[in-house]
Amino acid sequence: MIHVENKHLEAHAFQTAKGSNMFCGDSFYLSLKEDYFICVLADGLGSGQFAHEASRAVTSVVESKPKETINTLMDHCNQVLIRKRGAAVAILRVDFKKRIYEYSCVGNIRFFVHTSNNKLVYPMPVRGFLSGRPQKFRTHRYSYEENSAFLLHSDGFININTRELLGSKQSVWAMTDRLKAVQKNTNDDMSFIVGTLL
Ligand SMILES: [Mn+2]
């Protein structure tokens, strides 16, 4: 549904709604620039329109302030959820010049990076969800090597062999096709973002 590509990174984001819902309770936003990539995935509590509104509010924050630090963004995302449904929120930022990525997550969203020396990195989320209450965040920061692959997904995702998929050295389109073929879950909204760091 969204595909971005430049000489540093390629990524594809895809989602499906629970059952026959009109609204997907998950939202994502991706922005790829010359020197950075920022991406947010939010899973609004429950499903349907109000879950959608909560997760959209979160992605709008990141869209409007892409240069803020991840911690500040998480704070703003938390604030915007006051008097809305809560949401699980994950933010990823990649700095191509410094060759680092930073990641922060509160709630049930999973993130994996497979490095070229066959290591799988999966920073742990802070438990809970954002709802406007005071919240601690934990930003993980790693350097990366070229030819790494990553996967970010919400909890409606049907688990796969992540190490095998990300280590397969396949194109983003090929990985996307493989994931789409498996994701037949109708009990929850589902989103994934799969990509490569070049
Ligand atoms: Mn969910």
Side-chain angles (χ1 to χ4, degrees):
M1 298 218 284
I2 296 181
H3 195 94
V4 294
E5 183 175 5
N6 71 9
K7 64 177 190 286
H8 301 294
L9 180 143
E10 181 177 359
H12 188 93
F14 178 78
Q15 66 178 189
T16 54
K18 173 182 177 175
S20 54
N21 280 358
M22 292 259 295
F23 292 96
C24 183
D26 295 354
S27 297
F28 48 63
Y29 170 73
L30 293 76
S31 176
L32 178 61
K33 303 287 187 202
E34 184 59 33
D35 46 3
Y36 74 92
F37 171 68
I38 188 155
C39 160
V40 53
L41 174 58
D43 178 345
L45 292 194
S47 60
Q49 185 177 356
F50 295 112
H52 174 78
E53 282 175 12
S55 63
R56 273 300 294 154
V58 166
T59 57
S60 299
V61 166
V62 177
E63 194 169 349
S64 65
K65 302 175 180 9
K67 301 258 178 183
E68 291 286 356
T69 65
I70 291 202
N71 232 33
T72 304
L73 286 173
M74 288 297 271
D75 230 358
H76 287 308
C77 292
N78 194 28
Q79 293 301 318
V80 86
L81 288 171
I82 292 172
R83 287 184 293 277
K84 287 196 174 57
R85 291 265 185 95
V89 177
I91 304 178
L92 167 68
R93 183 203 300 277
V94 185
D95 184 319
F96 303 133
K97 285 210 176 95
K98 296 181 186 155
R99 296 193 78 78
I100 56 162
Y101 61 94
E102 293 175 298
Y103 178 77
S104 181
C105 177
V106 175
N108 207 0
I109 292 173
R110 305 293 304 277
F111 177 54
F112 304 88
V113 178
H114 185 277
T115 65
S116 40
N117 56 357
N118 206 29
K119 233 174 63 188
L120 193 65
V121 180
Y122 41 97
M124 286 296 149
V126 174
R127 287 176 65 164
F129 54 88
L130 299 188
S131 63
R133 286 169 300 165
Q135 176 70 52
K136 273 196 181 155
F137 306 114
R138 191 189 308 139
T139 300
H140 303 262
R141 171 192 260 252
Y142 304 89
S143 57
Y144 69 90
E145 305 128 67
E146 52 192 48
N147 299 316
S148 298
F150 63 92
L151 174 67
L152 182 67
H153 67 74
S154 64
D155 64 353
F157 184 90
I158 295 171
N159 284 325
I160 49 127
N161 186 336
T162 309
R163 183 184 289 276
E164 191 277 318
L165 178 86
L166 296 182
S168 65
K169 304 287 175 212
Q170 287 176 302
S171 70
V172 172
W173 284 112
M175 289 193 288
T176 298
D177 286 344
R178 282 181 62 187
L179 288 175
K180 281 186 186 172
V182 178
Q183 299 307 317
K184 306 288 184 199
N185 186 6
T186 55
N187 299 320
D188 195 0
D189 303 308
M190 186 289 301
S191 304
F192 70 76
I193 299 161
V194 66
T196 50
L197 286 159
L198 307 171

